[in-house]
């Protein structure tokens, strides 16, 4: 009995700790998404200004291809940041489609890749306030997300990720058993109510 209580306290401590790390990681991924989105917005504004100043200018193919690839990378960065945020919610249906994110070493590696992509692609040229904001988001978000990724890799090596998965599966099994118990109790209540109704219809002869 005492060992079960100690084990439950350790599991609760692990759950709270993992939720805290997940919240920090989600916040870092949100910063990365803001950096990508802001750089996309800045790029769009700059292109519109350049087009307004020189409407008949012909853009070289190399520059056009470079700008297109930068936009694709930034869109991919926004989508990847959303994937990281959804992963930290531990939504079971989402993790079924991205099963590799349930393993902390793979999750940490993915986060480090997105951090590097943020440092590379989420940038804005110029000295405007918007460009400075993009630079600030990029530096802070990439460093924080890389740190979270390194933590996940280290935790996966020491099997904290496996402990967390086992704990979450037990919680899901417990919730499912409680739901099954409620369904059985509801069926028993319905059966008892039906029995009483039938007895009242049959009258004294049915007793």
């Amino acid at each position: 009995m005492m060992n079960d209580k100690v084990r439950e306290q350790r599991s609760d401590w692990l759950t709270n700790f993992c939720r805290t790390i997940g919240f920090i990681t989600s916040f870092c991924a949100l910063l990365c998404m803001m950096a990508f989105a802001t750089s996309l917005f800045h790029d769009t504004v700059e292109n519109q200004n350049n087009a307004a100043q020189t409407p008949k200018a012909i853009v070289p193919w190399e520059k056009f291809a470079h700008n297109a690839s930068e936009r694709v990378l930034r869109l991919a960065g926004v989508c990847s940041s959303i994937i990281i945020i959804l992963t930290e919610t531990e939504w079971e249906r989402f993790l079924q489609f991205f099963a590799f994110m349930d393993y902390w070493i793979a999750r940490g590696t993915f986060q480090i890749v997105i951090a590097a992509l943020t440092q590379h692609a989420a940038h804005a040229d110029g000295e405007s306030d918007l460009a400075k904001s993009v630079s600030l988001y990029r530096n802070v978000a990439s460093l924080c997300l890389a740190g979270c990724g390194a933590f996940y890799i280290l935790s996966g090596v020491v099997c904290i990720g496996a402990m967390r998965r086992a704990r979450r599966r037990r919680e899901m099994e417990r919730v499912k058993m409680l739901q099954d118990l409620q369904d059985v109790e509801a069926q028993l209540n319905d059966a008892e109510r039906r029995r009483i109704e039938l007895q009242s219809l049959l009258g004294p002869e049915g007793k």
Side-chain angles (χ1 to χ4, degrees):
M1 186 70 179
M2 191 66 180
N3 292 334
D4 294 340
K5 185 179 294 186
V6 172
R7 191 179 297 110
E8 184 178 357
Q9 290 177 352
R10 290 178 179 175
S11 298
D12 292 338
W13 175 85
L14 178 62
T15 300
N16 295 330
F17 177 74
C18 292
R19 286 175 179 172
T20 303
I21 297 300
F23 175 79
I24 296 174
T25 305
S26 299
F27 181 74
C28 295
L30 181 62
L31 288 179
C32 289
M33 185 176 64
M34 291 176 61
F36 284 117
T38 309
S39 61
L40 272 172
F41 177 75
H42 181 270
D43 189 33
T44 302
V45 171
E46 287 295 323
N47 289 337
Q48 290 178 351
N49 293 336
N50 293 334
Q53 294 175 0
T54 56
K56 296 183 179 180
I58 299 177
V59 180
W61 168 252
E62 293 80 4
K63 185 176 181 180
F64 175 79
H66 176 73
N67 292 337
S69 63
E70 288 288 329
R71 290 184 179 181
V72 170
L73 286 176
R74 290 164 184 169
L75 286 174
V78 171
C79 296
S80 300
S81 300
I82 295 175
I83 289 175
I84 293 175
I85 294 173
L86 291 177
T87 300
E88 297 303 327
T89 63
E90 295 185 345
W91 184 21
E92 190 64 25
R93 185 170 297 179
F94 174 79
L95 290 176
Q96 290 177 356
F97 293 97
F98 296 90
F100 73 96
M101 294 293 283
D102 203 18
Y103 297 91
W104 281 24
I105 295 178
R107 186 184 300 188
T109 304
F110 184 78
Q111 292 172 4
I112 291 176
V113 170
I114 301 306
L117 182 63
T118 304
Q119 189 67 28
H120 171 73
H123 60 83
D125 299 329
E127 296 296 331
S128 63
D129 293 337
L130 185 59
K132 294 178 180 179
S133 299
V134 172
S135 178
L136 177 62
Y137 282 136
R138 179 189 66 181
N139 294 330
V140 173
S142 60
L143 288 176
C144 292
L145 190 61
C148 292
F151 170 81
Y152 271 110
I153 292 176
L154 181 61
S155 299
V157 171
V158 298
C159 298
I160 294 180
M163 294 168 58
R164 175 56 183 156
R165 285 195 303 273
R167 172 64 176 171
R168 193 176 72 248
R169 287 169 184 166
R170 286 197 299 270
E171 291 176 351
M172 292 175 57
E173 291 174 357
R174 184 174 181 275
V175 170
K176 187 177 183 304
M177 287 189 291
L178 288 175
Q179 292 176 349
D180 293 340
L181 180 61
Q182 291 176 355
D183 293 339
V184 171
E185 290 178 349
Q187 292 175 2
L188 291 175
N189 292 332
D190 292 340
E192 181 65 20
R193 185 167 55 252
R194 180 60 177 168
R195 185 183 67 83
I196 295 173
E197 291 175 355
L198 292 174
Q199 285 182 348
S200 63
L201 291 175
L202 290 173
E205 297 179 357
K207 295 183 180 180

